[in-house]
Amino acid sequence: MSGSRQMAESTSSGQQQAATPGPKKAGGKGLDAIYRSISEAIIEHRLKPGARLREDALADVFGISRTGIRKVLQRLALEQLVTLTPRRGASVTRPSVDEAKDVFEARQMVECALMEAAAKRITTADVEELREMAREERKALRSREQRVAIKLSATFHARLAEISGNRTLAEFVGQLCSRSSLILAVYGNPGHLGCESHDHDNLIELLAAGEGGKASDFMERHLKSIEASLSIFDEPEETPDLRDIFAFDA
């Protein structure tokens, strides 16, 4: 066999091997998608604060290796949505009273400061988007869908921060709002979010009118009223049925 023919056959064989995908477990997802699934389950309170997150169970649910799941949990831990404990594993973060106070203090400092910029940059399209978000939140509260309302409220505040134009602070507000969702899950009272249902509508109108200073003052009162509504109670630790929680994600 000539050298050129041997080279051609070798190249063809290599192409066939490269074109043949390796085995992939059914239901496998990318790490970003799994991160979003778990993050949303935490924020929506399908996974409650203190719930244990077993690596082997999550790996089985999402069809990936435990190494991949470990990377996702480490990412969630950096955002303080998950707590990693040596020899015990991962669990959904259960914020302490002091942490709750710190988060709301940080929110007041950052979100109030962004209202002036938001009032200058807000567009008619932004106003309509915010009004629709407020309507959906009120609808969820009327339907007693507490976890949905909490998620919508967090999304509303994160969107307000984005409108300010400061991407770095907007990302920080998004993280604070996610942590606030956990705080409301632990210390909040069922049936309301610690604020009047029309608070977000009032904020929208102030921003639409270009009243940045008044919007800042209103935001401070709004956040303080949420914090003042929190009450401390103990919630038992649980090991959730991960396959049931992520039935539609895996």
Side-chain angles (χ1 to χ4, degrees):
M1 182 182 294
S2 67
S4 60
R5 183 177 176 182
Q6 288 179 327
M7 182 177 293
E9 290 181 353
S10 175
T11 301
S12 176
S13 175
Q15 289 175 339
Q16 288 178 350
Q17 291 178 359
T20 303
K24 182 179 180 180
K25 187 173 181 179
K29 298 178 67 175
L31 297 187
D32 284 343
I34 294 171
Y35 159 80
R36 287 192 298 271
S37 292
I38 299 177
S39 177
E40 288 173 2
I42 292 172
I43 293 171
E44 293 174 4
H45 306 150
R46 288 182 282 140
L47 284 171
K48 297 180 181 180
R52 293 190 62 190
L53 302 174
R54 289 174 44 206
E55 289 182 4
D56 57 343
L58 286 170
D60 184 57
V61 166
F62 290 108
I64 67 168
S65 68
R66 291 182 63 174
T67 300
I69 286 296
R70 196 170 296 122
K71 291 180 180 179
V72 172
L73 293 175
Q74 288 170 346
R75 180 177 173 184
L76 290 165
L78 287 174
E79 297 184 6
Q80 300 185 52
L81 293 180
V82 164
T83 298
L84 301 178
T85 306
R87 296 184 299 278
R88 189 175 182 277
S91 62
V92 178
T93 297
R94 182 194 293 273
S96 68
V97 176
D98 288 340
E99 287 170 351
K101 292 179 179 178
D102 288 346
V103 167
F104 275 96
E105 182 179 356
R107 287 189 64 178
Q108 288 176 35
M109 293 174 66
V110 179
E111 291 188 64
C112 294
L114 292 177
M115 291 301 96
E116 289 278 7
K120 293 176 182 178
R121 293 174 56 91
I122 197 167
T123 66
T124 301
D126 292 330
V127 170
E128 289 305 311
E129 179 188 5
L130 291 170
R131 284 173 176 163
E132 177 60 26
M133 294 171 74
R135 282 193 291 269
E136 289 298 314
E137 182 185 338
R138 288 196 303 275
K139 180 180 176 181
L141 282 173
R142 286 196 301 269
S143 302
R144 299 184 181 278
E145 297 177 316
Q146 180 80 352
R147 70 184 187 187
V148 175
I150 290 174
K151 179 185 178 183
L152 291 171
S153 178
T155 303
F156 178 90
H157 280 264
R159 182 70 186 111
L160 280 183
E162 288 175 356
I163 291 172
S164 74
N166 190 315
R167 293 179 60 183
T168 300
L169 288 179
E171 289 178 3
F172 183 45
V173 169
Q175 294 174 6
L176 289 174
C177 288
S178 294
R179 294 179 66 186
S180 294
S181 295
L182 291 177
I183 292 166
L184 285 166
V186 176
Y187 302 117
N189 294 305
H192 64 89
L193 304 181
C195 58
E196 297 296 330
S197 61
H198 53 73
D199 273 9
H200 286 173
D201 293 299
N202 292 341
L203 267 172
I204 295 168
E205 296 311 314
L206 288 172
L207 291 172
E211 298 282 0
K214 291 182 179 179
S216 178
D217 292 339
F218 191 91
M219 177 67 83
E220 182 179 5
R221 294 195 298 274
H222 174 64
L223 292 173
K224 283 183 177 179
S225 68
I226 297 175
E227 183 180 3
S229 74
L230 302 178
S231 58
I232 300 174
F233 62 88
D234 291 324
E235 190 171 275
E237 182 182 291
E238 65 172 34
T239 300
D241 185 337
L242 298 174
R243 184 168 292 282
D244 180 62
I245 288 174
F246 295 110
F248 298 105
D249 295 317

